[in-house]
């Protein structure tokens, strides 16, 4: 039993590669929700959901430390969602995302 517990504890760091994600949102009259993901060690991802009745124009800025920010602009149709991703050159330690949306 002790050997099993030691093996289990030794494998714990291998399964935990997640990094913290901070999201700052600026929603101007649209019903937007988001869900951020850590898909890989160098890729950031956010799902933008539009629950409103009007289309939304969104700008997503991904920041990872000293690298240049990655800006993605998307349009989200009413009652739908869109995936937005950004790949970085270095491993992400802490990802900061700024989500700005306004109606079209």
């Amino acid at each position: 039993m002790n050997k099993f517990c030691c093996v289990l504890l030794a494998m714990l760091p291998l399964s935990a590669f997640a990094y913290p994600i901070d999201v700052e949102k600026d929603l101007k009259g649209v019903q937007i929700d988001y869900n951020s993901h850590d898909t890989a060690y160098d890729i950031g991802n956010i799902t933008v959901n539009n629950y409103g009745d009007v289309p939304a124009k969104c700008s997503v800025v991904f920041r990872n430390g000293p690298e240049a920010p990655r800006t993605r602009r998307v349009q989200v149709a009413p009652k739908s969602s869109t995936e937005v991703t950004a790949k970085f050159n270095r491993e992400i330690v802490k990802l900061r995302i700024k989500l700005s949306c306004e109606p079209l």
Side-chain angles (χ1 to χ4, degrees), residues 23-86:
V23 180
E24 176 187 337
K25 58 184 179 178
D26 180 23
L27 309 175
K28 298 179 178 115
V30 291
Q31 296 177 0
I32 295 287
D33 190 21
Y34 65 88
N35 190 8
S36 57
H37 312 281
D38 52 342
T39 53
Y41 71 96
D42 62 345
I43 298 176
N45 185 1
I46 188 169
T47 303
V48 181
N49 302 309
N50 185 356
Y51 294 112
D53 295 327
V54 296
K57 179 173 69 171
C58 296
S59 171
V60 183
V61 180
F62 295 89
R63 284 190 170 77
N64 175 31
E67 288 192 48
R70 310 288 200 269
T71 303
R72 306 288 186 261
R73 291 177 177 81
V74 294
Q75 291 184 3
V76 186
K79 310 288 188 216
S80 68
S81 64
T82 301
E83 295 279 333
V84 185
T85 62

Side-chain angles (χ1 to χ4, degrees), residues 1-11:
M1 184 67 179
N2 284 341
K3 290 180 184 179
F4 178 72
C5 290
C6 289
V7 170
L8 186 62
L9 287 175
M11 291 177 54

